[in-house]
């Protein structure tokens, strides 16, 4: 089961493998194992950014792209993979000025050991640079054959509208995908204002934090479950009566499908209109099976409604 991203011809598996772990919570060997397991299960859609994982101690950014590039070259699979990467947050390439986008794209291409990026995201908006300049620079990359399609992440609804207006007025390439923060404990930002734009502009939505940093796997049931993962504090903040009611509902509904809590949380996202593939990462190979299993789980409309109701409280 694959589907096209928005109006593009990028045909992707319904779970995008998150790359911010590579060179952070997954070392090179673990990353290769995770990538092997993901592709062995049919996965073909990898999400990274030039800045990953600058936030990890000792890193400078680019570590994730480097590992993915080495893995694709070693396995000889570049042509079978849809690679998404992003620009604007690498410490050496901050923002979305035209010269910066050009230089950052070349650096990403070199690290990924490829001559084309399939899907190139503006990682975060840069309100200091005119949209004409940013959209024009992305368009040049498409025309030069260095990027197949462009996409937006973390833009406000107003700025997405403005981007489309500018791109249309100038005949620039239009974005085909949107990468918002969206999951069962973070719904309103996306559903209230971004989803209608995605529908109108035929944007393929690839939500990030699909598992709320691990909370939606069900492994954090009490404050005592906070282990030594660097993500644990991000996940544990959702441990509350309401948060645990969502986990209980996921467990019950998942059981009817022979699916884990993790898989069921991803299946809820996939059931939403415009969502093409939730993004989720794995820090070890044993976590991959629950992620890719979403390809085989379709929730009924009653099950989606039940999960909508139990998560309706959140912000
Ligand atoms: N556009 C943006 O601004 C933006 C922002 C953030 C993320 N992203 C993208 O979205 C991707 C996903 O986000 P994320 O990785 O931060 O969060 P996430 O997908 O919500 O959480 C993934 C984490 O959950 C745990 N996990 C995964 N599968 C599991 C399983 N089967 N059982 C138990 N635990 C499991 C692992 O953490 P442990 O190591 O703790 O087990 C894993 O690293 C990133 O890799 C990145 O590509 C984009």
């Amino acid at each position: 089961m694959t589907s096209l991203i928005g109006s593009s011809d990028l045909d992707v598996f319904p779970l995008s493998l998150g790359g911010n772990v590579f060179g952070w919570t997954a070392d090179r060997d673990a990353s290769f194992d995770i990538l092997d397991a993901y592709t062995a299960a049919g996965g073909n859609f990898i999400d990274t950014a030039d800045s990953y994982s600058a936030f990890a101690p000792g890193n400078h950014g680019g570590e994730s792209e480097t590992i993915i590039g080495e893995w694709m070259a070693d396995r000889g699979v570049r042509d079978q993979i849809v690679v998404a990467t992003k620009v604007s947050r690498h410490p050496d390439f901050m923002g979305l000025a035209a010269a910066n986008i050009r230089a950052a794209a070349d650096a990403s291409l070199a690290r990924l050991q490829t001559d084309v990026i399939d899907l190139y995201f503006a990682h975060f908006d840069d309100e200091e640079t005119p949209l004409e300049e940013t959209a024009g620079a992305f368009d040049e990359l498409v025309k030069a054959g260095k990027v197949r399609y462009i996409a937006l992440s973390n833009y406000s609804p107003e700025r997405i509208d403005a981007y489309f207006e500018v791109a249309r007025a100038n005949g620039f390439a239009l974005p085909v995908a949107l990468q918002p923060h969206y999951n069962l404990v973070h719904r309103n930002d996306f559903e209230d204002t971004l989803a209608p734009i995605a529908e109108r502009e035929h944007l393929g939505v690839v939500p990030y934090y699909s598992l709320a940093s691990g909370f939606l796997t069900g492994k954090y049931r009490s404050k005592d479950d906070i282990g030594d993962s660097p993500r644990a504090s991000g996940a544990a903040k959702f441990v509350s009566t309401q948060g645990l009611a969502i986990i209980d509902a996921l467990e019950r509904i998942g059981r009817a499908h022979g699916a884990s809590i993790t898989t069921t949380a991803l299946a809820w996202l996939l059931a939403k209109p415009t969502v093409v593939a939730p993004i989720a990462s794995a820090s070890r190979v044993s976590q991959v099976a629950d992620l890719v299993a979403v390809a085989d789980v379709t929730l009924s409309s009653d099950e989606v409604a039940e999960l909508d109701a139990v998560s309706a409280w959140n912000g």
Side-chain angles (χ1 to χ4, degrees), residues 107-176:
S108 286
L109 287 167
R111 283 189 294 261
L112 288 165
Q113 302 188 39
T114 186
D115 50 13
V116 64
I117 294 164
D118 297 305
L119 189 60
Y120 201 31
F121 280 92
H123 199 165
F124 282 84
D125 195 0
D126 170 6
E127 298 202 28
E128 319 240 300
T129 302
L131 276 174
E132 286 81 353
E133 180 177 335
T134 296
F138 279 124
D139 183 64
E140 271 174 36
L141 288 175
V142 173
K143 293 208 168 87
K146 293 183 179 185
V147 165
R148 288 208 167 92
Y149 294 97
I150 61 166
L152 303 176
S153 183
N154 299 309
Y155 273 56
S156 70
E158 298 75 24
R159 292 281 289 175
I160 299 173
D161 284 342
Y163 193 109
F164 272 90
E165 203 176 305
V166 162
R168 285 204 172 94
N170 291 278
F172 295 152
L174 299 178
V176 300

Side-chain angles (χ1 to χ4, degrees), residues 260-282:
S260 68
I261 294 170
T262 305
T263 308
T264 312
L266 297 170
W268 176 83
L269 280 169
L270 200 52
K272 295 292 170 182
T274 75
V275 172
V276 183
I279 310 170
S281 65

Side-chain angles (χ1 to χ4, degrees), residues 221-286:
R221 300 256 188 177
S222 85
K223 305 280 178 198
D224 298 335
D225 294 333
I226 300 174
D228 51 10
S229 168
R231 289 170 192 282
S233 60
K237 66 178 183 233
F238 300 111
V239 175
S240 66
T241 307
Q242 293 100 327
L244 294 175
I246 296 174
I247 300 297
D248 288 345
L250 286 169
E251 189 166 34
R252 188 164 23 80
I253 289 167
R255 205 174 292 131
H257 293 269
S260 68
I261 294 170
T262 305
T263 308
T264 312
L266 297 170
W268 176 83
L269 280 169
L270 200 52
K272 295 292 170 182
T274 75
V275 172
V276 183
I279 310 170
S281 65
S283 64
R284 60 199 79 128
V285 72
S286 58

Side-chain angles (χ1 to χ4, degrees), residues 43-207:
N44 73 339
F45 184 19
I46 300 172
D47 181 81
T48 185
D50 62 354
S51 55
Y52 298 165
S53 293
F55 43 78
N59 281 1
H60 186 72
E63 292 80 10
S64 171
E65 288 182 335
T66 298
I67 287 175
I68 293 165
E70 289 175 359
W71 174 81
M72 289 193 297
D74 189 75
R75 304 302 196 249
V77 293
R78 172 65 189 98
D79 292 348
Q80 294 147 45
I81 301 293
V82 173
V83 181
T85 192
K86 316 187 190 79
V87 54
S88 87
R89 285 297 169 96
H90 188 288
D92 298 338
F93 302 102
M94 296 294 285
L96 294 172
N100 186 63
I101 291 176
R102 280 193 289 272
D106 284 341
S108 286
L109 287 167
R111 283 189 294 261
L112 288 165
Q113 302 188 39
T114 186
D115 50 13
V116 64
I117 294 164
D118 297 305
L119 189 60
Y120 201 31
F121 280 92
H123 199 165
F124 282 84
D125 195 0
D126 170 6
E127 298 202 28
E128 319 240 300
T129 302
L131 276 174
E132 286 81 353
E133 180 177 335
T134 296
F138 279 124
D139 183 64
E140 271 174 36
L141 288 175
V142 173
K143 293 208 168 87
K146 293 183 179 185
V147 165
R148 288 208 167 92
Y149 294 97
I150 61 166
L152 303 176
S153 183
N154 299 309
Y155 273 56
S156 70
E158 298 75 24
R159 292 281 289 175
I160 299 173
D161 284 342
Y163 193 109
F164 272 90
E165 203 176 305
V166 162
R168 285 204 172 94
N170 291 278
F172 295 152
L174 299 178
V176 300
L178 182 68
Q179 187 171 144
H181 179 178
Y182 181 39
N183 61 42
L184 271 161
V185 291
H186 188 95
R187 291 179 51 191
N188 298 353
D189 285 350
F190 174 72
E191 292 181 4
D192 294 352
T193 52
L194 295 171
I197 297 177
E199 295 225 17
R200 191 189 69 218
E201 300 294 355
H202 308 292
L203 292 166
V205 173
V206 285

